[in-house]
Structures are given as C-alpha cells and as structure tokens.
Amino acid sequence: MKTHEYQAKDLFASYGIPVEKHILCRTADEALQAYDTLSMPTVVVKAQVLTGGRGKVGGVKLARSREQVAAYAAGILGMNIKGFEVEKILISEAVSIRSEYYVSYIVDRNSKSVMLMMSPDGGMDIEKVAAETPDRIYKFTIDPLTGVPDYLARRFAFALFSDMQQVNPMATLLQNLYRLFVEKDSSLAEINPLVLTDSGNLVAIDAKMTFDDNALYRHDDILALFEPTPEEKVETEAKEKGFSYVRMDGNIGCMVNGAGLAMATMDMIRLYGGNPANFLDIGGSSNPDKVIEAMKLLLSDSQVKVVLINIFGGITRCDDVATGLLKAFEQINTEIPVVVRLTGTNETEGRALLSGTRFLVAETMGEATQMAVDITN
Ligand code: GDP
Ligand code: MN
C-alpha cells in the first residue's frame, strides 16, 4: 500500500524524525490561508499524488509571495502526474538547502533482510546516480536480531557526515526510521532528499512510505490512510467476492480455477505472442453465480477482446462446469468471443455440452491459447 508524502511525514513526525512545517490543502483558497498561517515569505507548493518525480514535471514549486502561492496552487491542483490527478497539495515551510542526501530502508529479497541505503547524491536525479555511479549508494544489511543499535547507527551516520553536529542527529534519525519501518510493517521508508540546511540541521523534505498489504490487518492506523487507485478498487471488490484478481494491460481476459493454472495460462498467452488482460483465479466450484461475477469483472475492462476460460476439473467435474457456464451465459449479454478449455474429470461430457453453443471449445491449453491469440490478432 502506498501513501502520500504528507501521510508519511505525519508518521515521521510521530517517530521524532525532523520534517518541516506543512499544511495540507485541497483548494487554492486553503493554500492562501496556509500561507498566512505559516507566515513566512517563502513556501513550497507540492502536489500530493501516489507517484514520485513530481519535481521534474512541475509538481513542486517554490513560491515567494502570496500571489505566487495562489498561482502555483491553482496550477498544480488538477494537474495530471503520470496518470494521477492532483487533488491535494502541501504548503510547506521552505528550507535553505546546503546539500541533499538519500536515505531509505527497504526489504531486500536477496539478503532476506532489511537494507539501509544512503547516498550523498540525493535529490531528483537519484535514478541516474544508481545507474551511473552505483558506488555512490551505500548499502547496509540490517540483522533483524540486532536491528540498529547506537554503535551501528553512528557507523552508518559517519558514512554521510563527519561533523558531530550532523552525525548525532543522523544516528538518531536512522534509529527512529528503522523503528517506524519495523513497527508498522513497512516495505519502503524513503527520504529523498534528506537535506542539510544552511543552519546545519537535518530535515526530511520529502517522504515516501509503502506498507505490506498482508500486515495491514494489524495496523488500523495505516489502513485508514488507504486511498485505492481505480484499479485497486476493482481488485478490492474482486477480493470481496472471493476472487484473486490482478489487472494487467493486455487484451485477453483470463478466467481460471487455481492460482498455479492461472499463472501458467498467462505464461502460455505470452508464449503464443498474446497479452493477458489479467490474472484471475476464481477458485474451485462451478457455481454459475461465480462465473457471472467473474465475467462482469472481465467485461468491466474495455481492453478485453476475448475471454479465455481455462478449467481443470478435479473434484469439480467438467460437465458441471459446462452446465454452470451455459446457465451463467443466459444472463450475460456480450458479443465478446469466449474460448473454453476443459480438461480433467468428465471432460468429454463437458465439451459435448458446449459444442454447438456460443463457446469456442478447445481440448488442450495450446489449442485454446492459439484460438484466443488469433482472435486478438
Ligand atoms: P519529488 O520530485 O516528487 O521527489 O519531490 P521532492 O519533495 O523531493 O522535491 C523535489 C526537489 O525540490 C527537491 O529535491 C529539492 O531540490 C526541491 N525542494 C523541495 N522542497 C524545497 C525547499 O523547501 N527549499 C528548496 N530550496 N528546495 C526544495
Ligand atoms: Mn523526492
């Protein structure tokens, strides 16, 4: 689960990580009020969207007067940044920056541990640093049993700073960020940039946190921050109906019983030169209501040009599945071609029931996939 900068900053503040003063606004009027409340000559107007790289596309502006605040707020609100519409902005205290650093904790799959990453070259070009000068990104694997005790925190802090005026607060910051990361089951806690101000203080002027979806059940406070994207909304609804559904960008809608078979189906589609529109595991059972719901889900995606139903009959018998499909499609109104591959228990009976109907019946997975791909071509 992703969160907005302002939400991550609120969490930072509650864990003692220094952030600059900021006020969340939804309108240009609110932005002006926030400017008056902060009562400092220069502020930063920042788009709040669930994606990064806002600075490069004009979503972060330094405003030096009331007029500029009004103009930038009006300009940024409603902007579209990488497909996300800006509905909220942050009016933040501007800080005078001496240098920008990168700091993050992530779950690293290779070391099966949390990893701390830091760079003295933080800021908007961190991707370039990672690509061109990777040795400028320092990585430390954290042992889950020891975490980040004082001596390690200081050692890490010395990687970026030598003056104790920064080393000490940096060590504390690294400990606090680690505590936040672990206690809230985060998968990423990133500060880019962490800045050293002209007066020698460290401030997190950007903040990004993502959380492990599978741990949200034990963090009501984090779950309350959830703002689903349109795709996530569809996925959540699907979950409530007992499906496991992930939207993709292809045009072959898949309906499969079993997660492994669903993965294999997607692989087959790619192998035959097609593109799956989704992963959809409808689970066992041939219940027509389930098929109707699953079809509604697939047809809600306007990209879908053909539906591929791939069923392996085990305990669920193929003739039952066929009967279920026929019953379901009495209630489904669509011109979209539907390819069905039935195999397993009572497969011949199942296919016989479907022959001569609206369904395109296939025997093998290869045959079914070829049919679906041919239709999209
Ligand atoms: P991002 O582009 O989405 O990562 O947004 P950031 O919050 O990281 O801001 C982008 C850049 O804007 C930063 O790297 C800074 O260089 C600049 N910036 C942000 N806030 C301030 C500020 O208070 N003062 C100054 N001078 N620059 C800022
Ligand atoms: Mn940033």
mmCIF file of all heavy atoms in Angstrom, residues 195-216:
data_model
loop_
_atom_site.group_PDB
_atom_site.id
_atom_site.type_symbol
_atom_site.label_atom_id
_atom_site.label_comp_id
_atom_site.label_asym_id
_atom_site.label_seq_id
_atom_site.Cartn_x
_atom_site.Cartn_y
_atom_site.Cartn_z
ATOM 1 N N VAL A 195 17.748 16.803 3.769
ATOM 2 C CA VAL A 195 18.628 17.935 3.487
ATOM 3 C C VAL A 195 19.372 18.421 4.719
ATOM 4 O O VAL A 195 18.895 18.307 5.844
ATOM 5 C CB VAL A 195 17.875 19.128 2.832
ATOM 6 C CG1 VAL A 195 17.227 18.706 1.533
ATOM 7 C CG2 VAL A 195 16.872 19.748 3.771
ATOM 8 N N LEU A 196 20.556 18.914 4.431
ATOM 9 C CA LEU A 196 21.339 19.637 5.424
ATOM 10 C C LEU A 196 21.056 21.099 5.135
ATOM 11 O O LEU A 196 21.283 21.573 4.022
ATOM 12 C CB LEU A 196 22.827 19.310 5.244
ATOM 13 C CG LEU A 196 23.816 20.103 6.111
ATOM 14 C CD1 LEU A 196 23.563 19.843 7.594
ATOM 15 C CD2 LEU A 196 25.250 19.715 5.755
ATOM 16 N N THR A 197 20.488 21.797 6.119
ATOM 17 C CA THR A 197 20.117 23.188 5.882
ATOM 18 C C THR A 197 21.326 24.095 6.107
ATOM 19 O O THR A 197 22.332 23.664 6.680
ATOM 20 C CB THR A 197 18.985 23.631 6.840
ATOM 21 O OG1 THR A 197 19.501 23.616 8.170
ATOM 22 C CG2 THR A 197 17.790 22.706 6.735
ATOM 23 N N ASP A 198 21.191 25.341 5.685
ATOM 24 C CA ASP A 198 22.283 26.294 5.865
ATOM 25 C C ASP A 198 22.653 26.448 7.330
ATOM 26 O O ASP A 198 23.800 26.724 7.665
ATOM 27 C CB ASP A 198 21.901 27.656 5.264
ATOM 28 C CG ASP A 198 22.074 27.633 3.748
ATOM 29 O OD1 ASP A 198 22.809 26.746 3.261
ATOM 30 O OD2 ASP A 198 21.465 28.475 3.063
ATOM 31 N N SER A 199 21.659 26.247 8.225
ATOM 32 C CA SER A 199 21.980 26.385 9.652
ATOM 33 C C SER A 199 22.493 25.077 10.255
ATOM 34 O O SER A 199 22.666 24.981 11.471
ATOM 35 C CB SER A 199 20.751 26.904 10.402
ATOM 36 O OG SER A 199 19.585 26.309 9.925
ATOM 37 N N GLY A 200 22.718 24.051 9.391
ATOM 38 C CA GLY A 200 23.363 22.832 9.891
ATOM 39 C C GLY A 200 22.412 21.770 10.413
ATOM 40 O O GLY A 200 22.852 20.785 11.012
ATOM 41 N N ASN A 201 21.099 21.966 10.206
ATOM 42 C CA ASN A 201 20.134 20.964 10.680
ATOM 43 C C ASN A 201 19.791 19.963 9.588
ATOM 44 O O ASN A 201 19.911 20.250 8.396
ATOM 45 C CB ASN A 201 18.841 21.653 11.130
ATOM 46 C CG ASN A 201 19.086 22.574 12.296
ATOM 47 O OD1 ASN A 201 19.836 22.233 13.217
ATOM 48 N ND2 ASN A 201 18.480 23.751 12.253
ATOM 49 N N LEU A 202 19.335 18.780 10.009
ATOM 50 C CA LEU A 202 18.861 17.771 9.067
ATOM 51 C C LEU A 202 17.339 17.812 9.034
ATOM 52 O O LEU A 202 16.682 17.813 10.081
ATOM 53 C CB LEU A 202 19.319 16.378 9.507
ATOM 54 C CG LEU A 202 20.828 16.125 9.502
ATOM 55 C CD1 LEU A 202 21.129 14.718 9.994
ATOM 56 C CD2 LEU A 202 21.391 16.342 8.101
ATOM 57 N N VAL A 203 16.776 17.837 7.835
ATOM 58 C CA VAL A 203 15.313 17.847 7.689
ATOM 59 C C VAL A 203 14.917 16.927 6.535
ATOM 60 O O VAL A 203 15.523 16.973 5.464
ATOM 61 C CB VAL A 203 14.763 19.271 7.382
ATOM 62 C CG1 VAL A 203 13.245 19.269 7.387
ATOM 63 C CG2 VAL A 203 15.302 20.299 8.349
ATOM 64 N N ALA A 204 13.882 16.109 6.762
ATOM 65 C CA ALA A 204 13.336 15.281 5.682
ATOM 66 C C ALA A 204 12.349 16.146 4.913
ATOM 67 O O ALA A 204 11.248 16.403 5.401
ATOM 68 C CB ALA A 204 12.644 14.051 6.264
ATOM 69 N N ILE A 205 12.724 16.622 3.731
ATOM 70 C CA ILE A 205 11.784 17.481 2.998
ATOM 71 C C ILE A 205 10.918 16.680 2.015
ATOM 72 O O ILE A 205 10.001 17.198 1.425
ATOM 73 C CB ILE A 205 12.458 18.682 2.290
ATOM 74 C CG1 ILE A 205 13.382 18.234 1.164
ATOM 75 C CG2 ILE A 205 13.165 19.589 3.273
ATOM 76 C CD1 ILE A 205 13.819 19.399 0.275
ATOM 77 N N ASP A 206 11.245 15.404 1.821
ATOM 78 C CA ASP A 206 10.331 14.535 1.082
ATOM 79 C C ASP A 206 10.230 13.247 1.880
ATOM 80 O O ASP A 206 11.148 12.900 2.627
ATOM 81 C CB ASP A 206 10.845 14.270 -0.340
ATOM 82 C CG ASP A 206 9.777 13.640 -1.238
ATOM 83 O OD1 ASP A 206 8.614 13.512 -0.784
ATOM 84 O OD2 ASP A 206 10.104 13.268 -2.378
ATOM 85 N N ALA A 207 9.122 12.530 1.720
ATOM 86 C CA ALA A 207 8.907 11.313 2.480
ATOM 87 C C ALA A 207 8.052 10.359 1.679
ATOM 88 O O ALA A 207 7.072 10.770 1.066
ATOM 89 C CB ALA A 207 8.208 11.630 3.806
ATOM 90 N N LYS A 208 8.483 9.097 1.656
ATOM 91 C CA LYS A 208 7.695 8.101 0.946
ATOM 92 C C LYS A 208 7.673 6.830 1.764
ATOM 93 O O LYS A 208 8.713 6.336 2.192
ATOM 94 C CB LYS A 208 8.345 7.840 -0.416
ATOM 95 C CG LYS A 208 7.603 6.844 -1.273
ATOM 96 C CD LYS A 208 8.274 6.748 -2.636
ATOM 97 C CE LYS A 208 7.640 5.656 -3.470
ATOM 98 N NZ LYS A 208 8.327 5.527 -4.759
ATOM 99 N N MET A 209 6.476 6.298 1.999
ATOM 100 C CA MET A 209 6.377 5.021 2.709
ATOM 101 C C MET A 209 5.385 4.108 2.018
ATOM 102 O O MET A 209 4.319 4.548 1.601
ATOM 103 C CB MET A 209 5.933 5.238 4.159
ATOM 104 C CG MET A 209 7.007 5.883 5.015
ATOM 105 S SD MET A 209 6.722 5.637 6.775
ATOM 106 C CE MET A 209 7.260 3.944 6.983
ATOM 107 N N THR A 210 5.752 2.850 1.874
ATOM 108 C CA THR A 210 4.782 1.855 1.438
ATOM 109 C C THR A 210 4.723 0.769 2.506
ATOM 110 O O THR A 210 5.672 0.590 3.277
ATOM 111 C CB THR A 210 5.144 1.234 0.071
ATOM 112 O OG1 THR A 210 6.387 0.569 0.199
ATOM 113 C CG2 THR A 210 5.253 2.282 -1.013
ATOM 114 N N PHE A 211 3.579 0.084 2.538
ATOM 115 C CA PHE A 211 3.339 -0.890 3.599
ATOM 116 C C PHE A 211 2.938 -2.233 3.026
ATOM 117 O O PHE A 211 2.311 -2.315 1.969
ATOM 118 C CB PHE A 211 2.245 -0.363 4.535
ATOM 119 C CG PHE A 211 2.656 0.900 5.226
ATOM 120 C CD1 PHE A 211 2.385 2.142 4.653
ATOM 121 C CD2 PHE A 211 3.366 0.859 6.407
ATOM 122 C CE1 PHE A 211 2.809 3.309 5.259
ATOM 123 C CE2 PHE A 211 3.797 2.025 7.018
ATOM 124 C CZ PHE A 211 3.520 3.255 6.450
ATOM 125 N N ASP A 212 3.301 -3.269 3.760
ATOM 126 C CA ASP A 212 2.977 -4.634 3.369
ATOM 127 C C ASP A 212 1.464 -4.859 3.493
ATOM 128 O O ASP A 212 0.912 -4.813 4.591
ATOM 129 C CB ASP A 212 3.747 -5.591 4.290
ATOM 130 C CG ASP A 212 3.553 -7.048 3.907
ATOM 131 O OD1 ASP A 212 2.621 -7.344 3.128
ATOM 132 O OD2 ASP A 212 4.331 -7.882 4.403
ATOM 133 N N ASP A 213 0.812 -5.098 2.360
ATOM 134 C CA ASP A 213 -0.644 -5.304 2.359
ATOM 135 C C ASP A 213 -1.055 -6.430 3.308
ATOM 136 O O ASP A 213 -2.110 -6.368 3.934
ATOM 137 C CB ASP A 213 -1.128 -5.687 0.949
ATOM 138 C CG ASP A 213 -0.953 -4.547 -0.031
ATOM 139 O OD1 ASP A 213 -0.822 -3.391 0.436
ATOM 140 O OD2 ASP A 213 -0.925 -4.803 -1.241
ATOM 141 N N ASN A 214 -0.224 -7.442 3.397
ATOM 142 C CA ASN A 214 -0.587 -8.612 4.206
ATOM 143 C C ASN A 214 -0.472 -8.358 5.703
ATOM 144 O O ASN A 214 -0.831 -9.225 6.496
ATOM 145 C CB ASN A 214 0.290 -9.806 3.810
ATOM 146 C CG ASN A 214 0.010 -10.227 2.384
ATOM 147 O OD1 ASN A 214 -1.153 -10.316 1.980
ATOM 148 N ND2 ASN A 214 1.050 -10.449 1.614
ATOM 149 N N ALA A 215 0.056 -7.196 6.067
ATOM 150 C CA ALA A 215 0.174 -6.887 7.502
ATOM 151 C C ALA A 215 -0.805 -5.796 7.907
ATOM 152 O O ALA A 215 -0.868 -5.422 9.078
ATOM 153 C CB ALA A 215 1.598 -6.457 7.827
ATOM 154 N N LEU A 216 -1.601 -5.310 6.954
ATOM 155 C CA LEU A 216 -2.473 -4.171 7.262
ATOM 156 C C LEU A 216 -3.528 -4.522 8.306
ATOM 157 O O LEU A 216 -3.997 -3.656 9.026
ATOM 158 C CB LEU A 216 -3.148 -3.654 5.982
ATOM 159 C CG LEU A 216 -2.189 -2.941 5.016
ATOM 160 C CD1 LEU A 216 -2.910 -2.591 3.727
ATOM 161 C CD2 LEU A 216 -1.631 -1.684 5.671
#
